[in-house]
Amino acid sequence: MDRLVKIYKVGYFESAHQLRGHEKCGLLHGHSYKYEVWITGIRSGEWNFVIDFHDIKNYFNQFDHSNKVITKSCEDFVVDAVDYFFNLSENIKKVKVRVWETVNSYAEHERIRIKS
Ligand SMILES: [Zn+2]
């Protein structure tokens, strides 16, 4: 039987944010985001990893000090992030992503692969 291994990564990025039409977030502003990722899966590949920590970091780094403005809510952002990691491999069985938009506010999403 394949053993499941869970990995965790935490990191930070700075990004511009704008929710057009929103009362408070409608004007261009920025956040110091924090992310936390939990991924459980069956290890595979050259290094026998569930996922390389660098792959997680690289996903979030695309938004760090970039000229991309995040135009989604924190809730939409975590759903996209979970889908990205979940779709990398069938060996990935569970993904949870928590993104802190401020030091006291986060959104979290989780997806689990159910055997059919
Ligand atoms: Zn904002």
Side-chain angles (χ1 to χ4, degrees):
M1 182 183 162
D2 293 315
R3 293 174 183 230
L4 293 173
V5 173
K6 176 155 74 174
I7 64 91
Y8 169 81
K9 185 162 181 70
V10 58
Y12 304 86
F13 62 97
E14 314 277 339
S15 182
H17 188 220
Q18 187 171 31
L19 287 180
R20 290 188 188 280
H22 186 272
E23 185 182 351
K24 283 201 76 176
C25 291
L27 294 176
L28 185 62
H29 60 284
H31 290 289
S32 296
Y33 288 93
K34 174 184 176 182
Y35 63 86
E36 295 178 278
V37 176
W38 295 258
I39 298 178
T40 303
I42 297 164
R43 298 180 298 158
S44 63
E46 182 185 359
W47 296 100
N48 206 28
F49 287 160
V50 174
I51 185 172
D52 193 316
F53 288 123
H54 279 95
D55 292 341
I56 299 173
K57 186 177 181 180
N58 287 341
Y59 177 80
F60 292 99
N61 271 0
Q62 68 179 306
F63 304 102
D64 187 47
H65 288 89
S66 77
N67 57 7
K68 290 182 184 174
V69 176
I70 295 175
T71 56
K72 298 175 176 218
S73 69
C74 198
E75 295 181 23
D76 286 340
F77 189 85
V78 292
V79 168
D80 285 354
V82 165
D83 285 349
Y84 173 79
F85 294 118
F86 197 81
N87 290 329
L88 286 178
S89 167
E90 289 282 318
N91 287 333
I92 291 175
K93 304 302 181 190
K94 187 174 174 183
V95 178
K96 183 169 85 173
V97 175
R98 178 183 295 167
V99 172
W100 295 78
E101 192 173 87
T102 67
V103 292
N104 52 13
S105 309
Y106 71 73
E108 181 179 292
H109 180 56
E110 184 175 50
R111 194 169 166 193
I112 299 168
R113 197 176 303 277
I114 310 280
K115 280 184 184 171
S116 53

